[in-house]
Amino acid sequence: MSELSIKGLHVNVEQKEILKGLTLSVAQGQVHAIMGPNGTGKSTLAYTLMGHPRYTVTEGEVTFKGRNLLDLSTDERSRLGLFLAFQYPVSIPGVTVANFLRTAVNARRKAQNPGDRGIPIPEFRKLLREKMDMLKMDSAFAGRYLNEGFSGGEKKRAEVLQMAILQPEIAILDETDSGLDIDALRIVSEGVNLLREQNVGVLLITHYQRMLNYIKPDVVHVMMGGTIVESGGADLALHLEEHGYDWIREKYENGIISG
Ligand code: ADP
Ligand code: MG
């Protein structure tokens, strides 16, 4: 069982403290949702976990599968089984979705076994077809240039496909629901649910409750001012949908919960 465990994490961005002692554990097969107002540090958490150089950890620890994650490069984190779906994926003109995915698969294979000659093309095609069928994606999608002219929904689908092919143990999705119409939202959610069935642990960062209509989280956390101020079950998200964040903000500001 691989677990991502974050303890008392403090993170600075350009000398400014954004995360202020955040503690959280995600086990494989669990879905944890992190909700919270804009500017509270949700993306900062996602980037820090993947090792983005702009985010400096000043205090606290993060372990993954018993190893100190903070000692590892982004590449090593990914090979260890951590995956981050970006809030704003970049496009790569000239590189097809299929080629991109095959390169990613081969990089991982080579890292595990330096003598690896790469996945045979027929085997890769089979893998790709299987995953695209699973996600109900049109096969023409694989021949398009990555993210080039993709709609918001297509970008997110490409991320979910990448995740299905790389089979991480813990996936972090940062606002994968933003800019999605209801159909795309459903498809992405179904993809996430399929991954969960395959025992992937998911850290689902979202500003809105609506994605949680399709993905039932095991735990919902509310983040405010760089720390988690409230945790609960799926019903906490519904409560937030109805009452907003003000009631938590008031509790927080009145010192009933300490950050
Ligand atoms: P959220 O994802 O919850 O909306 P962010 O983590 O994006 O919040 O941002 C938290 C705070 O950190 C904000 O005040 C934001 O302006 C600041 N911040 C985040 N990333 C950067 C950056 N790369 N450079 C400067 N400030 C940043
Ligand atoms: Mg964000």
Side-chain angles (χ1 to χ4, degrees), residues 38-39 41-44 47 87-88 174-175 205:
N38 282 327
K42 302 185 299 297
S43 294
T44 299
Y47 282 114
Q87 187 169 0
Y88 305 106
D174 188 8
E175 309 233 354
I205 298 175

Side-chain angles (χ1 to χ4, degrees), residues 88-154:
Y88 305 106
V90 294
S91 54
I92 315 184
V95 176
T96 63
V97 170
N99 269 334
F100 172 77
L101 292 172
R102 192 157 60 87
T103 307
V105 168
N106 283 341
R108 179 159 295 188
R109 284 170 65 120
K110 216 170 175 64
Q112 275 154 5
N113 170 18
D116 189 86
R117 305 275 296 273
I119 184 168
I121 305 253
E123 193 185 318
F124 176 73
R125 285 215 184 106
K126 186 165 163 280
L127 175 73
L128 185 61
R129 198 174 313 125
E130 188 186 297
K131 300 298 181 188
M132 289 183 76
D133 285 350
M134 179 181 104
L135 298 172
K136 299 188 186 70
M137 295 172 84
D138 190 313
S139 61
F141 191 81
R144 291 176 61 187
Y145 292 150
L146 185 66
N147 290 325
E148 179 80 349
F150 282 18
S151 68
E154 286 170 335

Side-chain angles (χ1 to χ4, degrees), residues 3-178:
E3 190 178 65
L4 176 69
S5 166
I6 306 166
K7 288 199 190 114
L9 187 67
H10 289 251
V11 172
N12 280 7
V13 181
E14 283 156 16
Q15 320 296 337
K16 188 175 161 222
E17 184 166 72
I18 306 295
L19 296 189
K20 299 171 184 171
L22 187 140
T23 297
L24 171 74
S25 291
V26 183
Q28 249 187 289
Q30 285 186 343
V31 175
H32 287 241
I34 296 194
M35 304 183 69
N38 282 327
T40 207
K42 302 185 299 297
S43 294
T44 299
L45 173 64
Y47 282 114
T48 303
L49 292 176
M50 277 323 281
H52 191 293
R54 189 147 39 181
Y55 301 83
T56 313
V57 175
T58 55
E59 223 184 298
E61 61 179 60
V62 183
T63 57
F64 178 47
K65 297 164 91 169
R67 294 188 57 188
N68 179 359
L69 192 78
L70 301 175
D71 274 353
L72 306 176
S73 67
T74 297
D75 191 43
E76 287 167 326
R77 294 176 198 207
S78 157
R79 274 188 262 129
L80 202 58
L82 203 62
F83 180 89
L84 175 64
F86 289 104
Q87 187 169 0
Y88 305 106
V90 294
S91 54
I92 315 184
V95 176
T96 63
V97 170
N99 269 334
F100 172 77
L101 292 172
R102 192 157 60 87
T103 307
V105 168
N106 283 341
R108 179 159 295 188
R109 284 170 65 120
K110 216 170 175 64
Q112 275 154 5
N113 170 18
D116 189 86
R117 305 275 296 273
I119 184 168
I121 305 253
E123 193 185 318
F124 176 73
R125 285 215 184 106
K126 186 165 163 280
L127 175 73
L128 185 61
R129 198 174 313 125
E130 188 186 297
K131 300 298 181 188
M132 289 183 76
D133 285 350
M134 179 181 104
L135 298 172
K136 299 188 186 70
M137 295 172 84
D138 190 313
S139 61
F141 191 81
R144 291 176 61 187
Y145 292 150
L146 185 66
N147 290 325
E148 179 80 349
F150 282 18
S151 68
E154 286 170 335
K155 283 184 189 172
K156 309 292 165 158
R157 262 180 257 195
E159 294 270 305
V160 175
L161 176 63
Q162 195 185 330
M163 214 156 43
I165 291 213
L166 291 180
Q167 296 196 301
E169 286 164 46
I170 302 278
I172 304 163
L173 288 90
D174 188 8
E175 309 233 354
T176 302
D177 49 345
S178 63

